Amino acid sequence: MNKRYLGIGAGLAAAAMVLSACTPPGGDGGGDGEGEGGGEGGSSVLNVGWNEAFRSMNTETTNGNAVANAIVTYLMNENFKYYDDNLELQDGNLGTVEQVSEDPLQVKYTFADDATWSDGTPVDAADIVLHWAAKSQKYNTESAEDVAEDRDDEGEVTEQDEGSVFFDSASPGSALIEEFPEISEDGSEVTFTYSRPFADWEIELGLGADGIGLPAHIVAKQALGEEDPAAAKQAVLDAFEGEDSEALSEIANTWNTGFNFTSMPEDEDLLVHTGPYKMTDFAEGQYLTLEADENYTGPTEVGVDQVTYRINGDPMASVQAVENGEMDLIQPQSTSDVLSAAEELEGVTVETEDGATYEHVDLMFDNGGPFDPESYGGDEETAKLVRQAFLKTVPREQIIDTLITPLNPEAQIRNSYTMVAGSPMYDGIVEANGMEEQYPGADVEGAAELLEEAGVDSPTVRFLYDDTNSRREQQFTLIQEQAEEAGFDIVNEGDVNWGSRMGDGTYDASLFGWQSTTTGVTESDANFRTDQQNNFGGFSNEEVDGLYDELQVETDPAQQEEILAEVEAILVEEAFGVTLFQHPELTIYSDRVQNVSSTTVSPTMFWNYWDWQVS
């Protein structure tokens, strides 16, 4: 067994779904003959384990925005840009991105000559226009609040009425592109004009697993019944340029849910892709198989003929599968038992890393609970004192020492809402935001004094978390003990379906994790701006909103850091919540696999799949 401790590494989704294991085609990955790795006349096979099932080809929707989807779409599609394991932005094979004007900001996308969908249709303007328009919210006639009641139990937006348009996505950058873009005659060049400067213009469209998004000609075929690819693409462009609400309503409905599936679809159009791998098999809740596409004509050369990703939410079972030769490469959520079991394996490398996901506690501001000013007749100061008191009780250091350090000796408390330790802006922001001083952890006496100052006796706090996750259960217990000692009454709202309850007002505090998808400075906008997609607690602050307006147009890194430091200082003072730690992650792989690497943004260990080799 080889063991390595790394500082920064792969990230997982915050909570794993418990799914049954199964042995898919490809066998144990170690024998001879067809379907096994390496032998003469055979094909190379890599069996990868993951903790959650794929469910959508569209990673831009609320339902589709998950690492389990991104790792598949990343292998199936080319992109304009991607991150390497040092978080450095690299050029993809789909084409080029360049700033052609600074004032106004204009960004031109030029598609490579060999950029082609797997059905032979060129990748061009219609595809990137659909990608931009869906994220911009420019064409929506319904708001997210309007359709909130129309979501099903899985969070999917149900079909909207004829003429109603709602694309289930949002991006501050795309929203700054208010005009229909300039398109070259052959559709290979598209120039977008921003209404004002935007710091993250280089990664707004065509990044990583999101790539270019869905194939516009297939969307139009499904939505509008247009069979001819060229005519279908033109129909998409005409619908957006002409703001045809009837056509856009159908396009939006297809874009929102038409590419969601949990087993191998009968309609092969849903599997049209731009990259070197194609989906060939998908058994619900068990495994998904990708094979090198013999018709792919792009420049990406892959070293593995078949990648089968097995779905298993039990990390110990995944380690056992590696030992049995049923899995070659896994990235399970780390616990001391999992790490110990992995370290005992022979012929296996174990990498212990800080991941992309960070743990945090957030509070509710608008649900009539103990942290809402309305509970005190609109008294903002009283509510803030109660929030500050509760956050002072969170035993941050104890949580790290008890649960995380045994897994990663280099683990440390995270003291920033927006930056990971080791990133260029982290130290400066931490020095300025005051979190470490305001909420050092387990300050029971200080919390009790704040409750007394607020004149609030034994406030009840309903605490939401995933009670099927043992580490979260332990964190809750530690938090509960300290908070009750300070005078709070803590109600255990542990729920396996915690995710579907986010923002519904039935709880007062929550414990979960966020995973980064980019290094963009504007990424946190969705978490802290008023009414944004990830602002589940109803936090609203005009100064923070204004600072994010400034951040969007600021291109100087020093000024970006200063703005984010101001945002974080407000979040600390207003007691938005408190950060805890980067998730300790494990990458475990058999010695038969070469060139495994990982990065701290989605799609984690899949980022350099073209380098994989199996012996």
Side-chain angles (χ1 to χ4, degrees):
M1 187 277 298
N2 300 314
K3 179 178 177 181
R4 290 195 283 163
Y5 285 100
L6 305 179
I8 296 294
L12 292 180
M17 294 178 62
V18 179
L19 301 167
S20 61
C22 182
T23 302
D28 64 8
D32 298 322
E34 187 174 357
E36 305 299 341
E40 185 178 351
S43 59
S44 54
V45 177
L46 182 65
N47 292 311
V48 181
W50 200 251
N51 65 352
E52 187 178 357
F54 174 89
R55 59 182 180 269
S56 181
M57 291 292 291
N58 189 353
T59 58
E60 291 290 353
T61 65
T62 300
N63 176 59
N65 182 21
V67 182
N69 299 322
I71 58 181
V72 175
T73 59
Y74 187 74
L75 270 67
M76 291 182 66
N77 290 292
E78 302 281 20
N79 47 48
F80 282 100
K81 297 285 183 179
Y82 68 92
Y83 289 105
D84 65 16
D85 53 351
N86 292 316
L87 293 183
E88 293 181 358
L89 199 60
Q90 302 293 332
D91 293 329
N93 293 323
L94 198 57
T96 59
V97 185
E98 58 181 322
Q99 178 181 304
V100 295
S101 170
E102 186 173 344
D103 187 17
L105 173 61
Q106 292 184 316
V107 181
K108 183 169 76 172
Y109 294 80
T110 303
F111 289 95
D113 293 338
D114 56 4
T116 308
W117 293 102
S118 56
D119 62 0
T121 304
V123 187
D124 61 17
D127 302 301
I128 199 169
V129 167
L130 173 61
H131 191 48
W132 152 70
K135 299 204 303 178
S136 71
Q137 298 190 316
K138 168 181 169 63
Y139 298 92
N140 285 2
T141 62
E142 307 292 325
S143 69
E145 186 175 352
D146 293 332
V147 303
E149 296 181 358
D150 296 334
R151 294 185 185 273
D152 61 20
D153 292 341
E154 302 301 322
E156 282 190 20
V157 174
T158 55
E159 186 169 316
Q160 299 299 294
D161 295 336
E162 183 177 348
S164 295
V165 182
F166 179 74
F167 287 95
D168 184 24
S169 187
S171 170
S174 289
L176 293 178
I177 304 170
E178 299 175 357
E179 301 176 5
F180 193 79
E182 178 184 339
I183 301 172
S184 66
E185 188 173 345
D186 64 357
S188 66
E189 296 181 353
V190 183
T191 303
F192 292 97
T193 300
Y194 286 76
S195 58
R196 58 177 188 262
F198 179 58
D200 294 324
W201 61 265
E202 194 173 10
I203 57 174
E204 178 56 26
L205 300 171
L207 176 68
D210 298 333
I212 200 61
L214 300 178
H217 65 292
I218 301 298
V219 172
K221 180 180 178 180
Q222 304 281 350
L224 307 176
E226 182 56 70
E227 296 283 341
D228 179 71
K233 282 177 174 285
Q234 191 59 50
V236 169
L237 292 173
D238 291 344
F240 285 114
E241 188 169 21
E243 300 189 20
D244 182 346
S245 61
E246 184 175 346
L248 290 178
S249 179
E250 298 295 334
I251 290 172
N253 284 332
T254 298
W255 190 89
N256 288 337
T257 62
F259 289 76
N260 297 344
F261 51 88
T262 56
S263 61
M264 196 65 179
E266 294 182 6
D267 186 354
E268 294 184 357
D269 282 347
L270 302 184
L271 304 179
V272 170
H273 57 281
T274 62
Y277 282 109
K278 62 181 179 180
M279 189 185 301
T280 58
D281 198 5
F282 183 12
E284 184 168 0
Q286 300 176 47
Y287 64 86
L288 184 151
T289 300
L290 303 171
E291 295 182 2
D293 189 343
E294 64 277 5
N295 296 318
Y296 171 73
T297 58
T300 302
E301 296 182 7
V302 296
V304 176
D305 299 315
Q306 177 180 303
V307 178
T308 295
Y309 118 42
R310 304 185 183 199
I311 304 158
N312 194 325
D314 183 345
M316 287 297 289
S318 295
V319 173
Q320 183 67 52
V322 173
E323 182 176 21
N324 295 341
E326 296 167 358
M327 291 186 188
D328 302 306
L329 172 61
I330 62 174
Q331 213 168 51
Q333 190 174 53
S334 179
T335 67
S336 56
D337 290 341
V338 171
L339 178 59
S340 296
E343 289 175 342
E344 292 177 0
L345 301 182
E346 296 295 330
V348 170
T349 295
V350 180
E351 295 180 356
T352 302
E353 310 165 306
D354 272 350
T357 301
Y358 72 92
E359 197 86 338
H360 56 102
V361 173
D362 289 353
L363 306 184
M364 290 291 294
F365 284 68
D366 64 350
N367 68 337
F371 307 131
D372 183 352
E374 292 304 313
S375 298
Y376 312 103
D379 188 337
E380 298 274 356
E381 187 61 26
T382 295
K384 182 167 73 172
L385 287 171
V386 177
R387 292 195 302 269
Q388 290 175 340
F390 181 77
L391 295 184
K392 278 185 177 294
T393 71
V394 178
R396 302 168 75 208
E397 187 171 354
Q398 185 183 11
I399 288 172
I400 298 289
D401 292 344
T402 304
L403 303 176
I404 308 305
T405 301
L407 304 174
N408 180 6
E410 305 301 320
Q412 58 183 302
I413 296 173
R414 171 166 165 153
N415 283 306
S416 170
Y417 298 102
T418 64
M419 291 290 159
V420 64
S423 61
M425 296 184 186
Y426 180 82
D427 289 341
I429 288 175
V430 167
E431 185 177 354
N433 69 16
M435 184 187 297
E436 196 169 12
E437 297 76 23
Q438 183 88 328
Y439 308 119
D443 182 4
V444 172
E445 184 178 340
E449 289 175 357
L450 287 177
L451 284 181
E452 184 177 354
E453 181 181 346
V456 178
D457 184 40
S458 300
T460 298
V461 177
R462 297 164 296 172
F463 199 100
L464 179 66
Y465 66 102
D466 179 5
D467 60 359
T468 66
N469 183 307
S470 61
R471 190 164 73 206
R472 292 234 167 87
E473 203 165 31
Q474 293 174 72
Q475 290 180 73
F476 166 75
T477 299
L478 293 174
I479 293 170
Q480 182 183 36
E481 290 173 353
Q482 300 298 324
E484 291 190 339
E485 186 177 340
F488 288 91
D489 179 20
I490 306 299
V491 177
N492 187 340
E493 288 285 335
D495 188 350
V496 66
N497 296 313
W498 65 274
S500 64
R501 293 176 57 183
M502 296 306 297
D504 70 0
T506 62
Y507 62 93
D508 307 303
S510 58
L511 171 71
F512 64 103
W514 284 123
Q515 184 185 45
S516 298
T517 58
T518 79
T519 62
V521 294
T522 61
E523 185 181 49
S524 61
D525 185 296
N527 294 9
F528 306 120
R529 186 191 286 271
T530 302
D531 293 332
Q532 283 302 292
Q533 189 174 21
N534 298 333
N535 186 351
F536 298 123
F539 173 76
S540 180
N541 183 283
E542 290 184 3
E543 190 174 355
V544 167
D545 294 347
L547 287 167
Y548 272 114
D549 287 341
E550 293 179 30
L551 185 63
Q552 286 183 353
V553 303
E554 182 56 67
T555 57
D556 180 4
Q559 291 300 310
Q560 292 171 348
E561 179 179 328
E562 186 174 319
I563 292 170
L564 283 173
E566 289 185 54
V567 167
E568 293 209 16
I570 295 170
L571 296 175
V572 168
E573 175 61 23
E574 293 299 317
F576 175 91
V578 67
T579 53
L580 299 175
F581 56 84
Q582 294 298 127
H583 277 209
E585 308 292 347
L586 295 177
T587 304
I588 304 168
Y589 55 95
S590 165
D591 288 351
R592 69 183 291 267
V593 188
Q594 288 84 51
N595 305 323
V596 174
S597 176
S598 203
T599 187
T600 54
V601 294
S602 174
T604 68
M605 65 182 181
F606 295 84
W607 79 267
N608 67 329
Y609 66 83
W610 51 84
D611 289 330
W612 290 344
Q613 298 284 338
V614 292
S615 59

